[in-house]
Amino acid sequence: MSAESFAESSATTPSSDAPLLVVNNLKTYFKTDRGLVRAVDGVSFTLERGRTLGVVGESGSGKTVLARSIMGLLPKRDVERSGSVKFEGVELVGADNSLMAQYWGDQMAMVFQDPMTSLNPVMRVGKQITEGLRQHLDISKDHANQTALALLSSVGIPEPERRLRQYPHEMSGGMRQRVMIAIAIACGPKLLFADEPTTALDVTVQAQILDLLQTQQRDRYMAMILVTHDLGVVAGRTDEIAVMYAGKIVEKAPTKVLFSNLRHPYTEALLSSIPKISDPSHTRLKTIGGRPPNLINPPTGCKFSPRCAYATDKCRTEEPPLSAPDSDGHQFSCWFPVELSAKQTSGVR
Amino acid sequence: MLRTFTLKFLRLVLVVLVVTFITFGLTKLQPGDPVSKIIPFGTAQQKAALTQDLGLNEPVYQQYGKWLGNFLQGDFGKYYDSKQSVNTVIKTSLPVSLELMLYAQFFALLIAIPLGVTTAYRAGSKYDRGANATMFALLALPNFVVALLLAIYVGAKWQLLPTQSNVIPFPLNPLDNWTYMLMPVVALTLGQIAVYMRLLRSDMIATLQEDFITTAKAKGIPTRRILWRHALRPSSLTLLTVAGLNVGALIGGAIVVENVFGVPGLGKRITEAILAKQYPALQSYVAIIAILYVTVNFAIDILYSVLDPRIRNARSVA
Amino acid sequence: MRDPLPDHGEELIHLMHDSEARSDVPADSVTQHFAAVSAGTVKAKKKGLTIGAWIAVGWMTLLILAAILAPVLPIPDPINDANPLKAAQGPTLNHIFGLDGNGRDVFSRIIWGARNSLFIAFAAVITGFIIGGALGLISGYFKGRVGGVLGALTDILLAFPQLVLALAVVSFLGRTVFNVTMALAIVSIPILARITRASTLSWSERDFVTAARAQGAGHIRTMLREILPNVLPAMLSIALLGIAVAIVAEASLSLVGAGVKPDVTTWGNVIFSGQAYLREAPSMVLFPSMVIFFTVYALNYLGDVLRATFDVRESAL
Amino acid sequence: MAGTGKAHLSQGETVLRIEDLFVEFPVGRSGLKVSAVAGISIDVREGETLGLVGESGCGKSTLGKAIMQIVRANSGHVMFGDIDLMTLQGEELRQTRPRLQMIFQDPISSLNPRRRVGKIVREGLDIWKIGDEASRQAKVLEVLEVVGIDAEAAIGRRPHEFSGGQCQRISIARAVATEPRVIICDEPVSALDVSVQAQILNLLEDMKARYGLTLVFIAHDLAVVKNISDRVAVMYLGKLCEIATPDDLYASPAHPYTAALLSAIPVADPEVNPTLRGGVGGEIPSPLAPPSGCRFRTRCPLATEKCAEEEPQIQEIRPNHFVACHFPLAEGQELPALEANIA
């Protein structure tokens, strides 16, 4: 296929010894009329090259803000961002946009949720792909067009020549998301964010897009952060999963460990409230009582305590820290983690 | 595409017909007999002859048909008394008004677009708030107030520029032309700047919040390019339409401004015709303005569907 | 009870990405004026009015009170108390706004002018509000043939440049207060019809309208109880701006000699009569112009506040 | 896919019986028409929950609205008891409203932001003048309490003061207030977070038991539909593919489309390799130009020429398991995995 055309780009920087991405105590607060919204409230993790991290949470958990905060895509005004994001050892928190622009699209890229709105409606698809290429790689217009063509076929778009000349609205949702992926991988980034990349798509198309993301990620040895609310989406496609609640990571573990040995009551509740295809019809669902947390005046102690079935006074007053990783690399923040024996997730399917 | 074009064109024709008919009907609704107004002291015989002459004894629709027939053949009628042809008047006054409006439109957009783009980008900053507050005040400043202020100070008090002018055609003497045009153009332009700037600003702010702008940013595209290449085009589509529709306000403004400065344009001629009760002439003027207005908007409508690919191929996708 | 901000994190992101399709663009100068005015000066805010809004309310109250009380106020008669010997004077202690070309007190003429100008503007816009509102509500709600015909009707009315339409009506029918009011009403009907129609169209897409129909609510009940309360803020805020535009239009008509006859004191007539004395006594033009400016500014501002309070989106135009 | 035919309609009593329903929409001003619902027959029995499932553009929501007569169908019958709703107009149709209710997808949009919750829930009672003032008020309090809303506190508030899940509860309260026989639920949980979704699904089950309701449950999420339904109908491009009891349907789908849908669902189990399952490529074709014969054939790994020429009729392949396919999958037979997936 087209490997040569971007070989030069993906092989530019020699890998340094530092891990690809180290996020340390990242906080992102929004200033609003009603108070400070703690959308991301102290998140830390490390991501190695070529690995996949799934970030799972419900709406309001801060997962989308986290992705954009790491990438520096949030507006500067009314946003407080602190902590540290080191990309190959380079600190990105506090970097100005002109520095970030060298990373954006080149070193790190993002696929957004809604392919309908994330492409410029009045610009041809080809232009939207070559634009980024020509910004970062010093190549001719012709060369860029050739590369775009190769990219489109590599993301599985038939008749790429014709598609290049089309506008986004002339394509189906699945095709548009493929174009978005082509744009994101164009310059051979080392880190790809996929923010709910399939939520706006139909089930059958969703599977195709997830497969595509996975093959591209492996072929190009990209690290990927897959943000989603759907535990099913991350289950078979990630190396590690972080579960977010109220702006914090409440549990983080290698994917297989998390599903077989979950410790945080929120993860447990989340898993058991999803209807399972394998359960018989009319199976009574387990629910999580209460409401999602208020991010302006979050509850004291453990943020999940007001909704937690196991909560005690200690939970309501003292906030549990994220534990150090155990031998499996499993971390969780809970005073009274779910006991292995009490697990009710044997039939997770 | 052709089908929509035809449909829109038919609509245009229909609107013009209805508009001219309503205008025509209005002249018939007026109290009193026009003949008595033209020759109040004429004999009964003279009046009857004039009635005959003007075709006033025919049914309204016939009169309208006759007028329309003449109008379509380019005969816009005559003034009652002087028998001066409306065509001659239009020939000299319409270009003046068009020049005035074109200048106003051009300068308004020239100033408003960069202002709109930069304030949208720096929305909430001191610069933005300052520009915005100024424009908000300008919106409340009727153009006759601007015109009168200019006339009082620049014209009367400081005598920097001539008021009560004769417009020198541009090809004859560009400098004179501009000297006479400057104040009318400024009076007409100020309010338009505010309208366009605020519109573009709010559209740009909305566009800048769109996902595809984040996509462009995430591609590493420089801000300048995002603003001018990615955001301006989708935002300016609304501006384009409004600029077309705004021709209506511009015409109204031109009438007022021409009167304040005595610019011999169509607006001045219209008000003269009103005061002299020159109804046939007036009717042609109104018809010409309506046609001008509807045609400009027709053209913009077409231009719009050419510029916005979503509309251009709406049918092929659906 | 919903928490103040259950998921503001995402909400802010959504705010950043609030992409409402702007299918409907403002179609005439008042709606443009409206869109331009409402293009976000006043920040959406907490309950209560800002200082600016209070000043605007104060100004309008003062003006309306003066207009109503004009006959009992201790001011000279605007028409008959003429003193040709003291024509066209600048401001003095006795005549704070000066005297006009006939030696009449400009201050008194402005107050009486407010009486007539505000009456014309309010009456015109209220007429437009009722007729245009009804037309817009009906044509937006019944999208079929009825809506099409009414929509076409408003489009035709809108195809006239407004001032030209008003000029034509007044010059053909005569320069009376009634005719000027009607001319401005005719101008404001299609504007209000259009805004109401656009707003109705977007609201009637909402599920709660379908839900009301599914409950068995008739058309009239649905229109009046479900849609109208939601459309009203947009209508009111454009009506406020419409009044501003009508005030300017009345003055413009007078200025080109096609307004109400000079024996009725309106702001337009006051300015018109001062035009001949620009050199001698610019105050004759300046003061009424300033009053018009403040009034239009106040009305624009209040319209904007109303829009921000009720979150009327410009895209709903 | 599928097809037409009525083999699956039961002989006995039904609450709703839809026959040969066609709904067409004009496309812009082009003069073209798209059939959102293209000849569907289906019935709903007393007290059951019928699940309607399919991807976007399959016509499931249009079908729901056409049953409600909110969208008027072009032809066909909608028998509600003994009455054909399609023949009713104006006032006669209005009279059936309290017996047939609807719940919508977007809980925020389905409540009037300018009215108070008490008034919203009372609307039906007020329109139909059911009972006196006191009994209406009592009914409002009752249904609000039943759906789990603090009634006394809620009636004076406006919808924006409630969360999405609570708004959906209020919608349900409004729907049951007039004591309907049937409620059409149009994607009632797809706008909600999973934790709230479970609450609403449980609530619907409770309401059904308490008020003896019959539900038509429209959704795109197969797991949700399975959880709540007594029978599930799968739709594709305006036609019916397959209809069966959920346990049977999900265990051994007979229509290749059903099988593809099922295999595409992401499973929350890391042991399952998602790329090694069967599936289908491509996307739903434009409803403007639907494929000839079986509408699914363009994406079907099993399609033959026959599928292009002949539209399959609905047939019973097992007791209470109907499918519209020329080559239905046998029990245990799996859809061939996509080559692209294996590669």
Side-chain angles (χ1 to χ4, degrees):
Chain A
M1 202 194 44
S2 48
E4 312 89 354
S5 9
F6 18 96
E8 59 213 290
S9 59
S10 40
T12 39
T13 337
S15 311
S16 63
D17 290 334
L20 183 69
L21 181 72
V22 182
V23 177
N24 194 8
N25 198 23
L26 182 66
K27 292 181 179 176
T28 309
Y29 296 167
F30 295 132
K31 283 179 226 156
T32 71
D33 289 345
R34 290 182 268 191
L36 206 58
V37 178
R38 295 155 197 269
V40 173
D41 201 7
V43 166
S44 309
F45 65 88
T46 302
L47 185 65
E48 300 287 347
R49 288 179 175 71
R51 304 277 289 174
T52 316
L53 171 72
V55 177
V56 183
E58 295 183 277
S59 64
S61 63
K63 56 189 190 300
T64 293
V65 178
L66 173 66
R68 297 201 177 191
S69 184
I70 294 173
M71 205 163 155
L73 279 176
L74 293 168
K76 293 261 187 293
R77 206 156 49 86
D78 292 336
V79 175
E80 280 178 14
R81 183 163 162 250
S82 67
S84 155
V85 172
K86 282 206 166 85
F87 186 84
E88 291 190 319
V90 180
E91 179 59 55
L92 298 186
V93 171
D96 63 8
N97 277 5
S98 56
L99 175 70
M100 286 312 297
Q102 293 171 17
Y103 284 89
W104 289 332
D106 192 38
Q107 303 286 312
M108 44 173 82
M110 190 176 251
V111 176
F112 297 91
Q113 174 171 354
D114 190 352
M116 192 84 176
T117 57
S118 46
L119 290 171
N120 190 333
V122 296
M123 195 184 265
R124 288 178 205 278
V125 160
K127 178 89 190 159
Q128 300 195 43
I129 301 174
T130 55
E131 191 185 38
L133 282 167
R134 300 199 62 196
Q135 181 69 36
H136 295 291
L137 316 174
D138 187 21
I139 55 175
S140 70
K141 209 169 186 173
D142 249 17
H143 190 175
N145 278 330
Q146 289 307 313
T147 313
L149 211 60
L151 278 165
L152 280 191
S153 30
S154 82
V155 296
I157 291 182
E159 300 179 81
E161 296 90 352
R162 191 170 67 87
R163 293 296 186 180
L164 276 182
R165 289 190 304 275
Q166 286 191 325
Y167 288 96
H169 70 268
E170 297 170 89
M171 300 182 165
S172 67
M175 283 300 153
R176 274 184 226 148
Q177 198 59 304
R178 285 172 194 271
V179 170
M180 266 312 291
I181 293 172
I183 291 176
I185 62 177
C187 298
K190 293 173 185 146
L191 173 59
L192 180 68
F193 291 88
D195 183 3
E196 303 257 14
T198 57
T199 310
L201 303 174
D202 276 325
V203 192
T204 51
V205 183
Q206 174 178 357
Q208 298 165 14
I209 295 296
L210 289 171
D211 289 348
L212 173 66
L213 273 174
Q214 194 165 3
T215 41
Q216 292 295 336
Q217 180 254 329
R218 281 187 190 152
D219 291 355
R220 291 164 196 268
Y221 197 63
M222 291 184 289
M224 180 159 82
I225 294 181
L226 181 58
V227 176
T228 177
H229 67 276
D230 188 342
L231 273 162
V233 165
V234 289
R237 302 177 193 270
T238 52
D239 301 312
E240 253 193 321
I241 293 180
V243 180
M244 284 190 74
Y245 187 82
K248 292 183 187 291
I249 293 181
V250 292
E251 184 162 17
K252 180 167 163 294
T255 305
K256 286 184 182 170
V257 176
L258 185 92
F259 279 95
S260 62
N261 186 19
L262 59 84
R263 302 301 302 276
H264 200 284
Y266 175 65
T267 316
E268 183 196 34
L270 198 60
L271 257 179
S272 57
S273 64
I274 307 171
K276 277 133 206 112
I277 282 286
S278 52
D279 285 347
S281 194
H282 299 294
T283 303
R284 190 78 181 175
L285 296 167
K286 290 211 175 65
T287 61
I288 310 177
R291 290 184 306 277
N294 173 348
L295 296 178
I296 291 180
N297 298 307
T300 53
C302 172
K303 306 271 181 282
F304 186 60
S305 59
R307 306 175 74 187
C308 181
Y310 316 119
T312 66
D313 283 343
K314 182 178 186 188
C315 302
R316 290 183 200 102
T317 49
E318 260 178 86
E319 182 157 19
L322 193 64
S323 63
D326 62 13
S327 55
D328 289 333
H330 196 158
Q331 293 173 274
F332 49 87
S333 65
C334 183
W335 295 124
F336 307 101
V338 182
E339 288 306 316
L340 301 183
S341 56
K343 249 183 359 186
Q344 311 204 324
T345 50
S346 46
V348 154
R349 273 199 79 170
Chain B
M1 191 68 215
L2 191 68
R3 197 187 140 92
T4 9
F5 184 86
T6 323
L7 275 174
K8 283 185 174 161
F9 186 73
L10 286 178
R11 226 179 85 118
L12 176 142
V13 173
L14 183 81
V15 167
V16 169
L17 283 180
V18 175
V19 163
T20 51
F21 186 75
I22 293 175
T23 332
F24 198 86
L26 273 176
T27 63
K28 301 297 151 197
L29 276 178
Q30 59 177 307
D33 171 21
V35 173
S36 317
K37 284 186 184 158
I38 304 163
I39 39 170
F41 308 111
T43 61
Q45 220 166 8
Q46 285 171 318
K47 282 185 179 173
L50 187 61
T51 309
Q52 184 75 26
D53 203 28
L54 296 173
L56 292 174
N57 49 358
E58 292 165 30
V60 175
Y61 66 90
Q62 257 181 31
Q63 293 182 34
Y64 173 68
K66 212 175 189 178
W67 172 85
L68 186 67
N70 288 336
F71 187 88
L72 289 179
Q73 285 166 22
D75 175 7
F76 300 151
K78 290 191 169 49
Y79 278 75
Y80 284 139
D81 42 359
S82 63
K83 297 284 176 189
Q84 189 187 9
S85 154
V86 174
N87 292 47
T88 356
V89 178
I90 287 176
K91 215 172 281 169
T92 55
S93 61
L94 186 62
V96 174
S97 294
L98 284 180
E99 190 191 353
L100 177 62
M101 290 194 282
L102 275 175
Y103 277 145
Q105 191 79 304
F106 175 75
F107 286 114
L109 289 171
L110 191 73
I111 298 169
I113 290 176
L115 263 181
V117 170
T118 49
T119 50
Y121 173 58
R122 298 175 56 190
S125 67
K126 275 199 184 117
Y127 161 66
D128 170 51
R129 278 179 303 183
N132 220 350
T134 315
M135 292 299 154
F136 195 78
L138 274 185
L139 278 181
L141 204 59
N143 44 32
F144 64 78
V145 173
V146 183
L148 288 170
L149 285 175
L150 287 172
I152 291 171
Y153 291 102
V154 182
K157 284 255 158 87
W158 307 329
Q159 308 205 340
L160 296 175
L161 288 168
T163 50
Q164 302 297 324
S165 60
N166 261 321
V167 169
I168 314 291
F170 182 78
L172 239 57
N173 186 340
L175 192 68
D176 276 5
N177 172 282
W178 279 337
T179 341
Y180 285 117
M181 273 295 187
L182 191 58
M183 282 199 293
V185 167
V186 170
L188 203 49
T189 308
L190 276 187
Q192 307 294 324
I193 297 176
V195 171
Y196 294 152
M197 175 269 182
R198 288 176 57 89
L199 221 91
L200 181 61
R201 175 181 171 273
S202 73
D203 260 28
M204 276 288 284
I205 288 176
T207 307
L208 287 175
Q209 289 166 353
E210 299 260 6
D211 288 349
F212 67 83
I213 296 297
T214 318
T215 307
K217 201 174 161 191
K219 269 191 281 188
I221 306 299
T223 309
R224 180 178 289 266
R225 192 182 161 88
I226 291 182
L227 285 179
W228 294 93
R229 295 298 303 273
H230 284 261
L232 181 58
R233 188 160 165 212
S235 316
S236 57
L237 289 170
T238 318
L239 184 69
L240 179 74
T241 320
V242 170
L245 295 161
N246 211 26
V247 169
L250 219 50
I251 292 169
I255 294 177
V256 175
V257 169
E258 283 177 15
N259 269 283
V260 172
F261 291 107
V263 179
L266 196 58
K268 180 88 179 121
R269 298 287 170 249
I270 287 178
T271 40
E272 283 165 6
I274 288 173
L275 295 176
K277 300 198 167 33
Q278 292 287 357
Y279 296 116
L282 195 53
Q283 196 177 319
S284 294
Y285 293 146
V286 172
I288 284 168
I289 286 176
I291 290 171
L292 182 81
Y293 180 60
V294 179
T295 313
V296 166
N297 283 295
F298 172 72
I300 287 206
D301 209 12
I302 300 299
L303 192 65
Y304 192 104
S305 38
V306 171
L307 285 181
D308 190 341
R310 285 166 294 186
I311 296 184
R312 198 193 311 159
N313 348 21
R315 290 211 15 225
S316 56
V317 205
Chain C
M1 270 303 314
R2 173 189 261 196
D3 293 326
L5 279 175
D7 43 15
H8 198 94
E10 247 82 346
E11 196 173 304
L12 201 113
I13 292 291
H14 283 284
L15 272 178
M16 294 161 43
H17 294 264
D18 197 10
S19 52
E20 203 114 322
R22 324 184 116 253
S23 54
D24 244 309
V25 279
D28 46 74
S29 56
V30 170
T31 24
Q32 280 154 39
H33 186 75
F34 178 60
V37 167
S38 59
T41 329
V42 182
K43 247 178 110 182
K45 65 200 64 227
K46 314 123 209 176
K47 305 253 158 159
L49 294 176
T50 57
I51 303 167
W54 280 116
I55 295 175
V57 168
W59 170 261
M60 286 313 294
T61 319
L62 201 69
L63 204 61
I64 291 171
L65 271 179
I68 292 170
L69 298 177
V72 298
L73 288 178
I75 48 174
D77 187 278
I79 305 281
N80 300 319
D81 282 355
N83 184 355
L85 296 176
K86 290 203 276 178
Q89 266 190 0
T92 59
L93 271 178
N94 282 339
H95 305 281
I96 50 167
F97 283 5
L99 295 170
D100 80 349
N102 294 322
R104 295 176 296 196
D105 181 57
V106 174
F107 181 76
S108 149
R109 282 176 64 73
I110 287 176
I111 299 236
W112 281 88
R115 194 174 164 88
N116 293 313
S117 289
L118 289 182
F119 171 80
I120 291 173
F122 274 92
V125 172
I126 289 170
T127 315
F129 188 85
I130 294 167
I131 300 177
L135 284 177
L137 195 61
I138 293 168
S139 68
Y141 180 77
F142 297 103
K143 292 178 197 80
R145 206 167 295 163
V146 183
V149 170
L150 291 178
L153 204 77
T154 46
D155 278 1
I156 285 174
L157 275 175
L158 283 173
F160 266 112
Q162 287 159 31
L163 193 67
V164 178
L165 178 61
L167 261 177
V169 172
V170 177
S171 60
F172 293 145
L173 299 187
R175 297 166 56 183
T176 64
V177 170
F178 180 80
N179 284 347
V180 170
T181 310
M182 278 308 107
L184 296 180
I186 291 173
V187 168
S188 63
I189 287 171
I191 298 161
L192 274 146
R194 199 190 156 89
I195 186 112
T196 314
R197 179 180 148 84
S199 191
T200 304
L201 274 173
S202 77
W203 281 104
S204 58
E205 306 259 293
R206 297 289 194 99
D207 285 337
F208 70 79
V209 176
T210 317
R213 299 285 298 142
Q215 291 278 333
H219 292 306
I220 298 198
R221 189 187 177 100
T222 312
M223 272 194 275
L224 294 185
R225 294 212 184 176
E226 305 291 338
I227 297 176
L228 187 62
N230 288 296
V231 172
L232 220 47
M235 288 173 69
L236 281 175
S237 65
I238 203 170
L240 277 181
L241 306 176
I243 292 170
V245 170
I247 288 172
V248 173
E250 183 278 319
S252 300
L253 282 178
S254 294
L255 214 63
V256 302
V260 184
K261 290 207 171 124
D263 54 1
V264 180
T265 311
T266 66
W267 286 343
N269 281 338
V270 178
I271 296 177
F272 182 66
S273 67
Q275 233 187 317
Y277 302 91
L278 286 186
R279 226 176 274 258
E280 300 88 330
S283 54
M284 283 170 61
V285 165
L286 283 181
F287 285 116
S289 296
M290 257 167 53
V291 171
I292 291 183
F293 171 74
F294 287 137
T295 311
V296 172
Y297 192 97
L299 287 166
N300 282 355
Y301 196 89
L302 291 178
D304 203 13
V305 169
L306 196 66
R307 186 201 61 88
T309 314
F310 286 92
D311 192 28
V312 179
R313 288 175 187 257
E314 295 111 69
S315 52
L317 297 190
Chain D
M1 97 112 346
T4 38
K6 296 177 198 168
H8 57 295
L9 297 190
S10 59
Q11 305 303 316
E13 273 290 288
T14 55
V15 187
L16 267 176
R17 187 181 169 94
I18 292 110
E19 287 179 37
D20 301 318
L21 202 68
F22 280 86
V23 183
E24 290 180 339
F25 294 118
V27 181
R29 287 187 191 159
S30 58
L32 292 171
K33 282 191 172 171
V34 54
S35 304
V37 174
I40 284 203
S41 303
I42 201 163
D43 58 5
V44 187
R45 295 161 201 160
E46 182 83 52
E48 80 167 344
T49 300
L50 174 75
L52 276 179
V53 67
E55 294 177 283
S56 60
C58 74
K60 55 189 191 300
S61 277
T62 309
L63 178 59
K65 293 203 170 90
I67 296 173
M68 289 295 297
Q69 305 297 319
I70 287 167
V71 166
R72 294 310 290 259
N74 296 63
S75 66
H77 305 282
V78 178
M79 304 297 297
F80 181 44
D82 316 326
I83 321 159
D84 187 352
L85 297 180
M86 288 287 292
T87 62
L88 300 186
Q89 291 292 338
E91 187 55 29
E92 284 179 315
L93 181 61
R94 213 171 70 83
Q95 293 293 336
T96 66
R97 294 294 190 200
R99 315 287 292 134
L100 190 58
Q101 281 293 314
M102 192 159 185
I103 302 169
F104 301 87
Q105 172 173 0
D106 182 352
I108 311 289
S109 150
S110 63
L111 302 178
N112 189 340
R114 293 259 180 273
R115 305 192 74 186
R116 293 178 196 283
V117 167
K119 279 280 178 198
I120 290 174
V121 177
R122 264 177 71 125
E123 180 76 358
L125 302 173
D126 284 343
I127 292 173
W128 298 104
K129 308 206 163 45
I130 298 169
D132 57 14
E133 178 63 32
S135 73
R136 279 181 217 170
Q137 198 62 22
K139 182 77 186 176
V140 168
L141 293 176
E142 178 209 312
V143 290
L144 279 173
E145 289 294 346
V146 168
V147 299
I149 297 278
D150 179 2
E152 292 289 351
I155 47 173
R157 298 186 193 281
R158 292 212 167 82
H160 68 86
E161 299 179 54
F162 295 86
S163 69
Q166 287 172 313
C167 284
Q168 203 59 301
R169 289 170 188 270
I170 295 168
S171 283
I172 294 171
R174 167 177 60 189
V176 295
T178 52
E179 299 182 0
R181 280 179 83 187
V182 177
I183 299 183
I184 313 262
C185 310
D186 187 3
E187 303 253 14
V189 296
S190 26
L192 306 174
D193 265 325
V194 280
S195 60
V196 183
Q197 166 180 304
Q199 297 169 6
I200 298 295
L201 287 174
N202 285 348
L203 175 66
L204 280 172
E205 294 271 27
D206 296 343
M207 301 304 279
K208 207 180 133 191
R210 184 182 175 110
Y211 293 103
L213 296 168
T214 302
L215 299 183
V216 175
F217 191 96
I218 301 166
H220 65 271
D221 186 325
L222 283 109
V224 164
V225 169
K226 179 178 184 187
N227 182 271
I228 200 166
S229 305
D230 298 305
R231 276 193 307 153
V232 174
V234 182
M235 286 179 69
Y236 185 80
L237 218 53
K239 299 249 182 195
L240 214 54
C241 294
E242 187 165 8
I243 178 162
T245 57
D247 294 333
D248 187 17
L249 184 85
Y250 287 63
S252 47
H255 199 289
Y257 177 60
T258 317
L261 263 186
L262 282 170
S263 67
I265 306 173
V267 179
D269 181 354
E271 302 299 329
V272 177
N273 184 342
T275 54
L276 287 181
R277 297 167 311 181
V280 290
E283 292 175 52
I284 300 184
S286 163
L288 270 177
S292 64
C294 172
R295 290 193 170 187
F296 183 59
R297 69 175 167 82
T298 51
R299 300 170 73 193
C300 181
L302 305 176
T304 67
E305 270 175 36
K306 185 182 180 191
C307 302
E309 288 155 8
E310 224 181 285
E311 181 170 8
Q313 295 290 305
I314 291 187
Q315 46 169 329
E316 185 166 21
I317 50 161
R318 288 190 287 276
N320 281 321
H321 195 138
F322 300 85
V323 64
C325 179
H326 293 304
F327 308 102
L329 301 168
E331 274 187 88
Q333 185 187 346
E334 280 188 22
L335 203 64
L338 273 186
E339 273 175 46
N341 287 352
I342 299 164

